Amino acid sequence: MTTMDRAYMYVSRIVALLLAVFFLIPIVWMLLLSFTPEGQPILGGGFHFSFANYAKVLSQAPIFGWMGNSLIVSVITTAMVLLLSSMAAYAFSRIRFPGSKVLFLLFLSAMMIPAEATLIPLYLFMRDIGLLGTRTSLILPAVAGPMGIFIMKQFFDGLPKDLEEAARIDGAGFFKIWYRIFLPLSRPALAALGIFTFIGAWNDYVWPLISISDKAFMTITLGLPMFQSSYVQQYALPMTANALAAIPVLLIFLLFQKQIIKGIAFTGGKEM
Amino acid sequence: MAVKSIAHKKSMAMGSRGLARQGWVTGIMMVLPYTLFFLLFSLFPILYGLRVSFYDWSLLGDKEFIGFLNYTTLLQDEEFRDNLLHTVLFTIVSVPLICGVGLLLAVLIHGIRRGQAFFRAAVFMPYVLSVSVISSIWVIFLQPYSGLFNQILRTLGIINSEIFWLSEPMLAWASIIMSTIWWTVGFVFVLFLAGLQDIPTSFYEAGQIEGANRWQTFWHITFPSLSRITILVVVLQTIASFKIFGQSKLITGGGPAGATKTVVFSIYENGFQTFQMGYASAIAFVLMIVILVISVLQTLILRKFES
């Protein structure tokens, strides 16, 4: 290694470290503030660890209720997306049926439609069918997104063709092949799609903002700003609420880091 | 046993045609559940929205067909023009920044063998948070007196009096852009990192034989090898930037004096604060067309690249 190489190595490592610190500061600071009672200094004043903020936030706002709503919506959305898109993707990948190409092309082009463009008609439609403001109204449009079909079809297309031959000879139908052979084999793809769908549903903001007005049905992304708008010049409680909302997804991230990062690379950066 | 053999004979008699028919029925059955969701909650809303955009459609009052009037009104609506301009400027500034920072981070961290997982996690982590959480973190982070950001800048000697980040248009935009970079750059970074890992080492060896220096290597080997991903990333970021709403709603509230309102902000205000559904739908359609054009351009450019 030349001196130049070594110098580059050290400099790049220091720069990377500084940048990593910069990325972590807001999150670390959020956690520090949430454990420090309001008005007490964090920097230079001796840090007093306390759960008082958490108790206060939980007694002042239905944070757990909001998180419960988020959880119900995210889990059902994820389960439905996994089931319906892997089933349809299998048919598109392995079965020839009339109209399959046209239908797939239709789904493909729908990926270009931004959710923001359908807010108004979705609002009117949900109101007409009496679902506006319910948790169901948050689930249905999320399940209709075509992203899952592409991720799953891409994965199925990559599985060897003779995989299902033996099962076919034994008389297994396509449906059986899908859930007996393809689903177990596609666990990594299902995991990636599931995690993205869950995080996406958990973090959704615009559509819940428009659909939900009843405090009891709010998700955490929606309830959070509501709760915080009543605090001016106070930071410990809003930050604690942030931490409560962030901790579940941060934990999911830390647990499934590899799948998440691989999943993004795998889908070639198709929008999440 | 007997049943099985009969079934077997039957299927033999039906031959491949019978199997094929069974196949396409199953195929349609398997696609049907998703298709129903798609028709009801994706396709129908688009067509419904198009219809609404040709009406004077208030939430409670009458609906009156007015042709293209919503669209022509749009051209003269100064607030919409401002919001469109804000969105375009935000896109022009933020897309190169996010892509550039993402590439820089990817190149830096790709070169690190030990501890790469830590750096990757640190950069990507904010991406999994919701816009509500990141906005609130940054609002508190940017507080003029008690906020950590000004304190850091002061400690480093970069400023000597408080900066009021959210009360001046340019600074408010700077705040939104900073927080957006922090929030979303991880996604771009991961894509570039994956691209870097896919470049065969033989490319670099060839460069070494020719005596290329680090900068030449980057410019002649690394960057061209990433061209496909670069196009993809730029297009995805452009689309995402055009849809910006949450940050300006939650960090600045669209202020100061409407300076940080965007196109989606226009949809939100016209649709859900003044309840002009027709007019808001027209704005939504303009946004959709802009995004469709960007997507189609992406497809064309990528296809040209691949052939």
Side-chain angles (χ1 to χ4, degrees), chain B residues 146-206:
Chain B
S146 51
L148 191 64
F149 195 65
N150 276 351
Q151 289 180 41
I152 293 174
L153 292 181
R154 205 210 303 258
T155 313
L156 292 174
I158 295 170
I159 57 168
N160 46 27
S161 62
E162 279 72 27
I163 296 180
F164 290 77
W165 287 100
L166 302 179
S167 31
E168 230 185 283
M170 289 297 275
L171 289 175
W173 271 115
S175 307
I176 288 176
I177 290 170
M178 272 193 295
S179 55
T180 305
I181 293 176
W182 178 76
W183 181 32
T184 60
V185 82
F187 179 71
V188 171
F189 157 78
V190 165
L191 285 180
F192 275 128
L193 198 62
L196 287 172
Q197 276 153 2
D198 284 344
I199 303 175
T201 44
S202 60
F203 283 25
Y204 292 112
E205 281 155 11

Side-chain angles (χ1 to χ4, degrees), chain A residues 90-239:
Chain A
Y90 171 77
F92 282 125
S93 175
R94 287 299 203 265
I95 306 173
R96 255 188 284 160
F97 59 92
S100 103
K101 285 213 172 105
V102 178
L103 200 58
F104 189 70
L105 213 66
L106 181 70
F107 293 163
L108 189 81
S109 38
M111 273 191 1
M112 298 178 185
I113 311 274
E116 286 77 359
T118 56
L119 291 174
I120 308 276
L122 262 183
Y123 177 88
L124 295 171
F125 182 43
M126 290 290 179
R127 196 187 56 150
D128 292 347
I129 58 177
L131 287 175
L132 195 73
T134 63
R135 295 183 198 95
T136 315
S137 76
L138 303 186
I139 295 169
L140 299 175
V143 176
M147 182 55 58
I149 293 200
F150 296 99
I151 295 180
M152 290 319 295
K153 182 177 182 286
Q154 218 176 346
F155 191 85
F156 289 155
D157 284 347
L159 294 174
K161 284 263 181 263
D162 51 357
L163 192 71
E164 63 261 48
E165 284 301 309
R168 285 276 288 279
I169 290 164
D170 282 348
F174 286 114
F175 193 80
K176 201 169 178 184
I177 296 174
W178 164 67
Y179 82 88
R180 275 287 172 77
I181 300 174
F182 276 65
L183 277 193
L185 279 174
S186 50
R187 228 173 269 162
L190 287 171
L193 176 61
I195 295 162
F196 292 147
T197 309
F198 186 91
I199 293 179
W202 182 276
N203 285 343
D204 193 15
Y205 175 70
V206 192
W207 172 237
L209 175 71
I210 284 155
S211 177
I212 308 284
S213 51
D214 187 341
K215 231 178 172 181
F217 290 136
M218 281 183 180
T219 55
I220 186 72
T221 21
L222 205 53
L224 207 57
M226 285 291 219
F227 166 71
Q228 290 170 341
S229 61
S230 52
Y231 287 89
V232 194
Q233 299 301 320
Q234 269 191 58
Y235 310 121
L237 292 190
M239 270 308 204

Side-chain angles (χ1 to χ4, degrees), chain A residues 7-169:
Chain A
Y8 173 81
M9 203 188 73
Y10 283 122
V11 170
S12 70
R13 208 160 278 194
I14 289 165
V15 174
L17 196 65
L18 285 174
L19 286 167
V21 168
F22 168 75
F23 272 90
L24 289 175
I25 283 178
I27 291 175
V28 171
W29 197 56
M30 167 182 81
L31 294 172
L32 283 178
L33 262 180
S34 76
F35 290 118
T36 316
E38 187 74 62
Q40 285 199 14
I42 294 175
L43 297 172
F47 177 60
H48 302 285
F49 184 87
S50 145
F51 277 111
N53 292 328
Y54 285 87
K56 233 187 237 170
V57 166
L58 290 174
S59 71
Q60 286 181 9
I63 301 265
F64 279 151
W66 291 336
M67 284 168 85
N69 288 334
S70 290
L71 195 69
I72 293 170
V73 169
S74 310
V75 167
I76 296 177
T77 302
T78 307
M80 289 181 75
V81 165
L82 289 181
L83 182 74
L84 299 191
S85 16
S86 71
M87 196 158 67
Y90 171 77
F92 282 125
S93 175
R94 287 299 203 265
I95 306 173
R96 255 188 284 160
F97 59 92
S100 103
K101 285 213 172 105
V102 178
L103 200 58
F104 189 70
L105 213 66
L106 181 70
F107 293 163
L108 189 81
S109 38
M111 273 191 1
M112 298 178 185
I113 311 274
E116 286 77 359
T118 56
L119 291 174
I120 308 276
L122 262 183
Y123 177 88
L124 295 171
F125 182 43
M126 290 290 179
R127 196 187 56 150
D128 292 347
I129 58 177
L131 287 175
L132 195 73
T134 63
R135 295 183 198 95
T136 315
S137 76
L138 303 186
I139 295 169
L140 299 175
V143 176
M147 182 55 58
I149 293 200
F150 296 99
I151 295 180
M152 290 319 295
K153 182 177 182 286
Q154 218 176 346
F155 191 85
F156 289 155
D157 284 347
L159 294 174
K161 284 263 181 263
D162 51 357
L163 192 71
E164 63 261 48
E165 284 301 309
R168 285 276 288 279
I169 290 164

Side-chain angles (χ1 to χ4, degrees), chain A residues 4-5 8-9 11-13 15-17 19-20 22-27 29-30 33 43 80 84-85 87-88 90-92 95-98 103 106-107 109-110 112-129 131 139-141 143-147 149 168 170 173-175 178 199 202-206 209-210 220-222 224-225 228 233-235 238-239 242 245-246 249-250 253-254 257-258 260-261 264-265 268-272, chain B residues 4 19-20 22-31 33-35 37-46 48-49 52 57 59-60 63 101 104-105 107-109 111-114 117-133 136-138 140-141 143 146-149 151-152 181-183 185-187 190-191 194 214 228 232 236 239 243 245-246 249-250 264 267-268 271-272 275-278 280-281 284-285 287-288 291-292 295-296 299:
Chain A
M4 272 295 280
D5 280 340
Y8 173 81
M9 203 188 73
V11 170
S12 70
R13 208 160 278 194
V15 174
L17 196 65
L19 286 167
F22 168 75
F23 272 90
L24 289 175
I25 283 178
I27 291 175
W29 197 56
M30 167 182 81
L33 262 180
L43 297 172
M80 289 181 75
L84 299 191
S85 16
M87 196 158 67
Y90 171 77
F92 282 125
I95 306 173
R96 255 188 284 160
F97 59 92
L103 200 58
L106 181 70
F107 293 163
S109 38
M112 298 178 185
I113 311 274
E116 286 77 359
T118 56
L119 291 174
I120 308 276
L122 262 183
Y123 177 88
L124 295 171
F125 182 43
M126 290 290 179
R127 196 187 56 150
D128 292 347
I129 58 177
L131 287 175
I139 295 169
L140 299 175
V143 176
M147 182 55 58
I149 293 200
R168 285 276 288 279
D170 282 348
F174 286 114
F175 193 80
W178 164 67
I199 293 179
W202 182 276
N203 285 343
D204 193 15
Y205 175 70
V206 192
L209 175 71
I210 284 155
I220 186 72
T221 21
L222 205 53
L224 207 57
Q228 290 170 341
Q233 299 301 320
Q234 269 191 58
Y235 310 121
M239 270 308 204
N242 277 338
V249 270
L250 287 180
F253 169 68
L254 291 174
Q257 220 196 104
K258 251 189 200 154
I260 292 176
I261 286 173
I264 289 183
K270 289 210 176 80
E271 215 179 330
M272 280 171 50
Chain B
K4 203 175 174 187
L19 208 80
Q22 184 222 345
W24 73 254
V25 171
T26 318
I28 289 173
M29 295 302 285
M30 290 180 87
V31 169
Y34 172 77
T35 309
F37 272 84
F38 178 82
L39 292 178
L40 274 176
F41 302 105
S42 273
L43 191 64
F44 172 68
I46 296 165
Y48 193 19
V52 174
W57 189 309
L59 198 56
L60 300 166
K63 309 159 178 58
V101 173
L104 175 76
L105 284 164
V107 169
L108 273 176
I109 290 169
I112 295 174
R113 294 271 171 282
R114 228 181 313 152
F118 162 76
F119 290 105
R120 217 172 41 196
V123 173
F124 190 78
M125 194 164 350
Y127 188 72
V128 301
L129 300 176
S130 69
V131 68
S132 308
V133 171
S136 168
I137 291 179
W138 277 79
I140 298 173
F141 197 54
Q143 287 300 313
S146 51
L148 191 64
F149 195 65
Q151 289 180 41
I152 293 174
I181 293 176
W182 178 76
W183 181 32
V185 82
F187 179 71
V190 165
L191 285 180
R214 207 170 282 281
R228 207 194 108 86
L232 204 69
L236 286 176
I239 292 172
K243 300 192 292 192
F245 170 67
K249 171 96 167 58
L250 293 166
V264 179
I267 299 176
Y268 175 73
F272 303 102
F275 300 113
Q276 298 169 283
M277 296 311 208
S281 290
F285 248 82
L287 174 74
M288 192 170 85
I291 286 173
L292 281 177
S295 302
V296 169
T299 317

